[in-house]
mmCIF file of all heavy atoms in Angstrom:
data_model
loop_
_atom_site.group_PDB
_atom_site.id
_atom_site.type_symbol
_atom_site.label_atom_id
_atom_site.label_comp_id
_atom_site.label_asym_id
_atom_site.label_seq_id
_atom_site.Cartn_x
_atom_site.Cartn_y
_atom_site.Cartn_z
ATOM 1 N N GLU A 115 54.758 107.036 177.644
ATOM 2 C CA GLU A 115 54.077 105.924 178.264
ATOM 3 C C GLU A 115 54.940 105.413 179.395
ATOM 4 O O GLU A 115 56.095 105.049 179.192
ATOM 5 C CB GLU A 115 53.867 104.831 177.203
ATOM 6 C CG GLU A 115 52.843 103.820 177.610
ATOM 7 C CD GLU A 115 53.200 102.451 177.107
ATOM 8 O OE1 GLU A 115 52.793 102.098 176.000
ATOM 9 O OE2 GLU A 115 53.898 101.736 177.857
ATOM 10 N N SER A 117 55.059 103.791 183.776
ATOM 11 C CA SER A 117 54.478 103.110 184.936
ATOM 12 C C SER A 117 53.831 101.782 184.549
ATOM 13 O O SER A 117 54.376 100.734 184.805
ATOM 14 C CB SER A 117 53.509 104.008 185.700
ATOM 15 O OG SER A 117 53.326 103.486 186.991
ATOM 16 N N SER A 118 52.659 101.820 183.936
ATOM 17 C CA SER A 118 51.992 100.643 183.352
ATOM 18 C C SER A 118 52.108 99.352 184.167
ATOM 19 O O SER A 118 52.592 98.336 183.660
ATOM 20 C CB SER A 118 52.544 100.377 181.938
ATOM 21 O OG SER A 118 52.545 101.547 181.168
ATOM 22 N N PRO A 119 51.658 99.358 185.421
ATOM 23 C CA PRO A 119 51.720 98.116 186.196
ATOM 24 C C PRO A 119 50.653 97.114 185.722
ATOM 25 O O PRO A 119 49.775 97.474 184.941
ATOM 26 C CB PRO A 119 51.405 98.577 187.620
ATOM 27 C CG PRO A 119 50.621 99.833 187.454
ATOM 28 C CD PRO A 119 51.094 100.477 186.190
ATOM 29 N N ASN A 120 50.791 95.883 186.178
ATOM 30 C CA ASN A 120 49.827 94.848 185.819
ATOM 31 C C ASN A 120 48.752 94.746 186.883
ATOM 32 O O ASN A 120 49.065 94.679 188.076
ATOM 33 C CB ASN A 120 50.546 93.511 185.667
ATOM 34 C CG ASN A 120 51.564 93.550 184.549
ATOM 35 O OD1 ASN A 120 51.355 94.220 183.529
ATOM 36 N ND2 ASN A 120 52.679 92.865 184.735
ATOM 37 N N HIS A 129 58.609 98.779 189.751
ATOM 38 C CA HIS A 129 57.913 99.785 188.945
ATOM 39 C C HIS A 129 58.350 101.206 189.273
ATOM 40 O O HIS A 129 57.876 102.156 188.677
ATOM 41 C CB HIS A 129 56.397 99.698 189.157
ATOM 42 C CG HIS A 129 55.811 98.418 188.669
ATOM 43 N ND1 HIS A 129 55.379 97.437 189.514
ATOM 44 C CD2 HIS A 129 55.611 97.958 187.417
ATOM 45 C CE1 HIS A 129 54.920 96.417 188.805
ATOM 46 N NE2 HIS A 129 55.044 96.703 187.528
ATOM 47 N N HIS A 155 49.720 102.426 180.406
ATOM 48 C CA HIS A 155 49.297 101.283 179.588
ATOM 49 C C HIS A 155 49.150 100.080 180.529
ATOM 50 O O HIS A 155 50.045 99.240 180.640
ATOM 51 C CB HIS A 155 50.415 101.040 178.557
ATOM 52 C CG HIS A 155 50.167 100.006 177.515
ATOM 53 N ND1 HIS A 155 49.261 100.154 176.496
ATOM 54 C CD2 HIS A 155 50.760 98.804 177.283
ATOM 55 C CE1 HIS A 155 49.302 99.092 175.692
ATOM 56 N NE2 HIS A 155 50.202 98.256 176.162
ATOM 57 N N LEU A 156 48.040 100.061 181.246
ATOM 58 C CA LEU A 156 47.846 99.043 182.286
ATOM 59 C C LEU A 156 47.917 97.619 181.727
ATOM 60 O O LEU A 156 47.314 97.339 180.690
ATOM 61 C CB LEU A 156 46.462 99.199 182.909
ATOM 62 C CG LEU A 156 46.214 100.218 184.000
ATOM 63 C CD1 LEU A 156 44.805 99.998 184.545
ATOM 64 C CD2 LEU A 156 47.239 100.104 185.116
ATOM 65 N N GLY A 157 48.613 96.745 182.438
ATOM 66 C CA GLY A 157 48.660 95.339 182.033
ATOM 67 C C GLY A 157 47.400 94.628 182.505
ATOM 68 O O GLY A 157 47.344 94.112 183.616
ATOM 69 N N GLU A 254 45.898 97.267 178.229
ATOM 70 C CA GLU A 254 46.357 96.598 177.000
ATOM 71 C C GLU A 254 45.226 95.960 176.222
ATOM 72 O O GLU A 254 45.255 95.909 174.995
ATOM 73 C CB GLU A 254 47.277 95.438 177.403
ATOM 74 C CG GLU A 254 48.732 95.711 177.443
ATOM 75 C CD GLU A 254 49.471 94.420 177.784
ATOM 76 O OE1 GLU A 254 49.445 93.462 176.981
ATOM 77 O OE2 GLU A 254 50.048 94.388 178.871
ATOM 78 N N TYR A 305 51.552 90.012 173.541
ATOM 79 C CA TYR A 305 51.952 91.331 174.069
ATOM 80 C C TYR A 305 52.317 92.297 172.932
ATOM 81 O O TYR A 305 51.861 93.443 172.884
ATOM 82 C CB TYR A 305 53.148 91.071 174.991
ATOM 83 C CG TYR A 305 53.725 92.234 175.756
ATOM 84 C CD1 TYR A 305 52.913 93.117 176.438
ATOM 85 C CD2 TYR A 305 55.120 92.400 175.817
ATOM 86 C CE1 TYR A 305 53.484 94.168 177.167
ATOM 87 C CE2 TYR A 305 55.688 93.431 176.551
ATOM 88 C CZ TYR A 305 54.865 94.313 177.214
ATOM 89 O OH TYR A 305 55.434 95.336 177.926
ATOM 90 N N ASP A 309 50.759 95.973 171.493
ATOM 91 C CA ASP A 309 51.556 97.191 171.358
ATOM 92 C C ASP A 309 51.443 97.761 169.944
ATOM 93 O O ASP A 309 51.423 98.981 169.760
ATOM 94 C CB ASP A 309 53.027 96.910 171.696
ATOM 95 C CG ASP A 309 53.337 97.303 173.143
ATOM 96 O OD1 ASP A 309 52.749 98.298 173.614
ATOM 97 O OD2 ASP A 309 54.148 96.630 173.797
ATOM 98 N N ARG A 316 47.231 105.268 168.607
ATOM 99 C CA ARG A 316 47.852 106.535 169.056
ATOM 100 C C ARG A 316 48.227 107.435 167.880
ATOM 101 O O ARG A 316 48.151 108.654 167.984
ATOM 102 C CB ARG A 316 49.088 106.233 169.913
ATOM 103 C CG ARG A 316 48.694 105.645 171.254
ATOM 104 C CD ARG A 316 49.898 105.167 172.039
ATOM 105 N NE ARG A 316 49.483 104.394 173.205
ATOM 106 C CZ ARG A 316 50.311 103.698 173.954
ATOM 107 N NH1 ARG A 316 51.600 103.680 173.692
ATOM 108 N NH2 ARG A 316 49.847 103.020 174.989
ATOM 109 N N TYR A 327 58.547 105.044 175.260
ATOM 110 C CA TYR A 327 58.134 103.927 176.116
ATOM 111 C C TYR A 327 59.179 103.753 177.204
ATOM 112 O O TYR A 327 60.313 103.368 176.923
ATOM 113 C CB TYR A 327 58.070 102.639 175.307
ATOM 114 C CG TYR A 327 57.048 102.642 174.194
ATOM 115 C CD1 TYR A 327 57.313 103.287 172.991
ATOM 116 C CD2 TYR A 327 55.825 101.998 174.346
ATOM 117 C CE1 TYR A 327 56.381 103.289 171.965
ATOM 118 C CE2 TYR A 327 54.883 101.989 173.329
ATOM 119 C CZ TYR A 327 55.166 102.641 172.137
ATOM 120 O OH TYR A 327 54.238 102.641 171.127
ATOM 121 N N VAL A 328 58.790 104.035 178.429
ATOM 122 C CA VAL A 328 59.751 103.931 179.524
ATOM 123 C C VAL A 328 59.591 102.570 180.204
ATOM 124 O O VAL A 328 58.659 102.362 180.983
ATOM 125 C CB VAL A 328 59.546 105.071 180.545
ATOM 126 C CG1 VAL A 328 60.652 105.051 181.580
ATOM 127 C CG2 VAL A 328 59.494 106.424 179.845
ATOM 128 N N THR A 329 60.456 101.640 179.867
ATOM 129 C CA THR A 329 60.433 100.328 180.539
ATOM 130 C C THR A 329 61.864 99.818 180.701
ATOM 131 O O THR A 329 62.788 100.340 180.088
ATOM 132 C CB THR A 329 59.661 99.248 179.744
ATOM 133 O OG1 THR A 329 60.509 98.778 178.695
ATOM 134 C CG2 THR A 329 58.373 99.752 179.151
ATOM 135 N N GLN A 333 63.133 94.558 178.270
ATOM 136 C CA GLN A 333 62.133 94.581 177.189
ATOM 137 C C GLN A 333 62.708 95.125 175.873
ATOM 138 O O GLN A 333 61.966 95.479 174.961
ATOM 139 C CB GLN A 333 60.924 95.413 177.616
ATOM 140 C CG GLN A 333 60.222 94.821 178.817
ATOM 141 C CD GLN A 333 58.745 95.226 178.904
ATOM 142 O OE1 GLN A 333 58.082 95.433 177.902
ATOM 143 N NE2 GLN A 333 58.242 95.319 180.121
ATOM 144 N N HIS A 336 61.747 93.108 172.767
ATOM 145 C CA HIS A 336 60.313 93.304 172.494
ATOM 146 C C HIS A 336 60.089 94.595 171.707
ATOM 147 O O HIS A 336 59.413 94.600 170.675
ATOM 148 C CB HIS A 336 59.535 93.323 173.814
ATOM 149 C CG HIS A 336 58.149 93.884 173.682
ATOM 150 N ND1 HIS A 336 57.119 93.175 173.100
ATOM 151 C CD2 HIS A 336 57.641 95.091 174.011
ATOM 152 C CE1 HIS A 336 56.029 93.926 173.086
ATOM 153 N NE2 HIS A 336 56.309 95.091 173.636
ATOM 154 N N PHE A 337 60.663 95.687 172.176
ATOM 155 C CA PHE A 337 60.405 96.959 171.498
ATOM 156 C C PHE A 337 61.107 97.043 170.134
ATOM 157 O O PHE A 337 60.578 97.619 169.191
ATOM 158 C CB PHE A 337 60.755 98.147 172.397
ATOM 159 C CG PHE A 337 59.685 98.383 173.421
ATOM 160 C CD1 PHE A 337 59.896 98.083 174.759
ATOM 161 C CD2 PHE A 337 58.437 98.857 173.049
ATOM 162 C CE1 PHE A 337 58.898 98.266 175.704
ATOM 163 C CE2 PHE A 337 57.429 99.047 173.981
ATOM 164 C CZ PHE A 337 57.661 98.753 175.310
HETATM 165 N N1 LIG B 1 52.743 95.983 181.979
HETATM 166 C C1 LIG B 1 54.092 95.793 181.568
HETATM 167 C C2 LIG B 1 54.925 95.293 182.757
HETATM 168 O O1 LIG B 1 54.568 95.497 183.901
HETATM 169 C C3 LIG B 1 54.750 97.041 181.053
HETATM 170 C C4 LIG B 1 54.108 97.642 179.838
HETATM 171 C C5 LIG B 1 55.079 98.455 179.071
HETATM 172 N N2 LIG B 1 54.491 99.121 177.950
HETATM 173 C C6 LIG B 1 54.217 98.593 176.759
HETATM 174 N N3 LIG B 1 53.666 99.336 175.859
HETATM 175 N N4 LIG B 1 54.508 97.361 176.483
HETATM 176 O O2 LIG B 1 55.972 94.715 182.521
#
Side-chain angles (χ1 to χ4, degrees):
E115 197 215 270
S117 199
S118 311
N120 297 325
H129 295 107
H155 186 70
L156 278 188
E254 266 183 66
Y305 184 47
D309 263 325
R316 290 172 190 170
Y327 297 79
V328 187
T329 78
Q333 297 205 32
H336 164 75
F337 282 108

